[in-house]
Amino acid sequence: MNKDLLRKHIQAYLEKCSANPEQFAKDKVEREERVHYYQSWSSSRMQGMTPDDLFEYLSKLWAMLIWGNKHYVVDKLIEENGLAKVRTELIDLVWASTPIEVRWDRFRKEIKRMGPAMMSEILCQVHPNKCMIWNRRAYAGLSLLEVPDLPRHNYQLTGKKYKELCQVVEEIADEMRRMGDRDVSLLSVDYFIWGLPYEEPPKSGPVVAPGGEGLEPPVSEFIHNEVRDKIAEIGTWLGFNTRTEVKVAEGSKVDAVWEASIGNMGRVIYVFEVQTKGSLDSLILNLLKSLNNPAVQGVVAVSDLEQLDKIKSHAAGVAGLREKLKYWDYKEVLDVHESLEAVNETINRLGLVPPGF
């Protein structure tokens, strides 16, 4: 991290706060209220969470601003994981005494539909002196301060990397204290980061190819799950009902499904399979089985360019599949998701569409 640059921006931030004490006081009250709310959810209280409680708990998160229909998001979280499992894993993430890197990786592995932005925001608001908030804005702000080796994509944000980032933000908090801001937590550092000059991160970032040789199983799994979940979120933002890990036949599941109803005429379904490691024959078979459903209008294989070429070669001789099979570079999936995320966040901040019941 460039400490001279950091001190320059801290000085500008402190001057801004001094010039506008009412806003500074308002921000401080907001932080205190958020910390009080999330800390009030003790382990024992979380054990009794109802679906309505979980909705209230999650809907307050800034990370939920990208969603117009927050009920849909929470309903899907419960549907795909089960309320009991969500409660158990949230309690472990927030309150367990095991190292944060272990809790982080476990939650990422066990819970679908809840990513690093939501996880880190909850952790920061329960443990504001230990945990930082990670999102697109944090990436841009720390990049501006020349922090090296930042995770460009969610799968790169392992528990170990999250712990390292918390230590980096602690360094920023220490510097802010040295420069005169005595009441600093890692949550208030997030407010400082939001005040930094912002540039949208470049779309091209370091990406480990899903089909690359030598991937460790946890890394491969994180990549697969991130791409799977982002395909589902893209479909949701486009107006489809989406599901992940959908059974299409005995012993066969596909990674994601987009589904839309057309009046009283029936359904249109699109099926996605993400290939990181494993048998191409299995991918071909799963997609072929999904086409037994007449509502399936298209099937999509998602991987890196090298793997997609292999899939095309395998599918060329499979009548009935080759005509409907589409190919999507997973890096484009990540870029499309990021663009739609920014659009949805901006639109939802305007409050043009009120929440439903």
Side-chain angles (χ1 to χ4, degrees):
M1 180 162 50
N2 186 327
K3 289 296 183 69
D4 290 336
L5 189 59
L6 172 62
R7 284 187 280 269
K8 171 188 170 185
H9 284 294
I10 291 175
Q11 185 61 40
Y13 172 76
L14 295 176
E15 290 173 0
K16 182 178 178 182
C17 292
S18 178
N20 193 352
E22 287 127 2
Q23 183 61 48
F24 182 77
K26 182 180 177 182
D27 289 345
K28 183 178 178 182
V29 169
E30 180 185 40
R31 290 195 293 270
E32 290 171 348
E33 289 176 345
R34 296 181 77 87
V35 169
H36 175 75
Y37 175 79
Y38 281 96
Q39 287 183 344
S40 74
W41 283 94
S42 63
S43 174
S44 58
R45 187 183 177 195
M46 290 174 77
Q47 287 174 351
M49 263 185 171
T50 65
D52 287 342
D53 290 334
L54 183 62
F55 172 78
E56 180 187 297
Y57 186 86
L58 296 178
S59 65
K60 293 179 180 292
L61 297 173
W62 292 312
M64 288 286 274
L65 287 172
I66 61 174
W67 298 102
N69 186 346
K70 296 177 176 61
H71 278 287
Y72 180 89
V73 178
V74 178
D75 289 346
K76 281 294 181 182
L77 179 69
I78 294 172
E79 176 187 326
E80 299 198 13
N81 299 283
L83 179 60
K85 185 175 183 179
V86 172
R87 282 193 304 240
T88 298
E89 296 301 332
L90 265 177
I91 291 169
D92 182 82
L93 174 69
V94 175
W95 295 114
S97 58
T98 49
I100 183 60
E101 59 268 32
V102 175
R103 287 143 50 201
W104 181 276
D105 287 342
R106 175 185 170 86
F107 192 91
R108 291 283 286 138
K109 180 180 179 181
E110 295 295 330
I111 298 297
K112 295 184 287 185
R113 299 267 183 172
M114 194 166 167
M118 294 174 71
M119 291 168 59
S120 63
E121 189 178 336
I122 291 170
L123 285 167
C124 183
Q125 292 176 148
V126 177
H127 308 290
N129 294 314
K130 295 181 180 178
C131 298
M132 60 90 70
I133 294 178
W134 179 259
N135 49 33
R136 191 171 71 251
R137 194 65 179 243
Y139 177 90
L142 295 183
S143 294
L144 177 69
L145 298 175
E146 300 178 11
V147 176
D149 302 322
L150 294 174
R152 184 66 185 86
H153 300 286
N154 285 350
Y155 73 82
Q156 296 167 323
L157 187 57
T158 62
K160 179 182 178 182
K161 178 55 72 172
Y162 178 69
K163 181 179 179 180
E164 291 174 3
L165 290 168
C166 290
Q167 292 168 346
V168 169
V169 175
E170 284 179 7
E171 289 181 35
I172 296 175
D174 288 341
E175 194 63 42
M176 292 175 74
R177 292 185 192 102
R178 279 192 287 269
M179 294 183 66
D181 191 348
R182 301 300 177 191
D183 186 18
V184 178
S185 67
L186 272 59
L187 179 56
S188 50
V189 173
D190 183 70
Y191 283 64
F192 160 70
I193 288 174
W194 271 82
L196 293 172
Y198 180 71
E199 290 185 10
E200 192 69 32
K203 296 250 183 269
S204 56
V207 181
V208 179
E213 295 299 323
L215 278 181
E216 294 296 326
V219 177
S220 176
E221 184 176 356
F222 276 137
I223 297 170
H224 174 278
N225 292 350
E226 177 176 0
V227 175
R228 175 201 65 198
D229 293 347
K230 288 191 171 180
I231 288 171
E233 289 180 353
I234 290 168
T236 300
W237 286 327
L238 294 177
F240 290 93
N241 180 37
T242 66
R243 292 178 289 157
T244 60
E245 302 294 331
V246 180
K247 183 178 179 179
V248 294
E250 194 61 40
S252 293
K253 284 184 177 181
V254 294
D255 288 313
V257 165
W258 294 357
E259 183 174 331
S261 297
I262 305 176
N264 61 357
M265 298 174 63
R267 300 173 298 159
V268 172
I269 298 173
Y270 300 96
V271 172
F272 299 81
E273 271 282 84
V274 181
Q275 181 71 11
T276 52
K277 298 187 70 130
S279 168
L280 294 182
D281 291 335
S282 176
L283 175 141
I284 296 294
L285 184 60
N286 284 346
L287 292 177
L288 196 56
K289 285 181 177 179
S290 71
L291 287 170
N292 289 331
N293 184 336
V296 173
Q297 297 299 300
V299 290
V300 184
V302 183
S303 192
D304 62 79
L305 294 177
E306 182 179 348
Q307 286 282 97
L308 290 177
D309 285 340
K310 293 178 182 178
I311 295 168
K312 287 178 185 178
S313 178
H314 275 64
V318 183
L321 176 63
R322 61 176 175 255
E323 296 84 1
K324 291 192 174 183
L325 183 56
K326 311 297 181 183
Y327 305 91
W328 200 359
D329 183 347
Y330 84 107
K331 288 191 282 188
E332 290 183 352
V333 173
L334 300 177
D335 287 346
V336 167
H337 182 277
E338 188 168 288
S339 296
L340 285 175
E341 182 181 28
V343 168
N344 278 274
E345 184 176 349
T346 299
I347 295 300
N348 290 329
R349 280 184 186 278
L350 295 176
L352 299 179
V353 182
F357 292 104

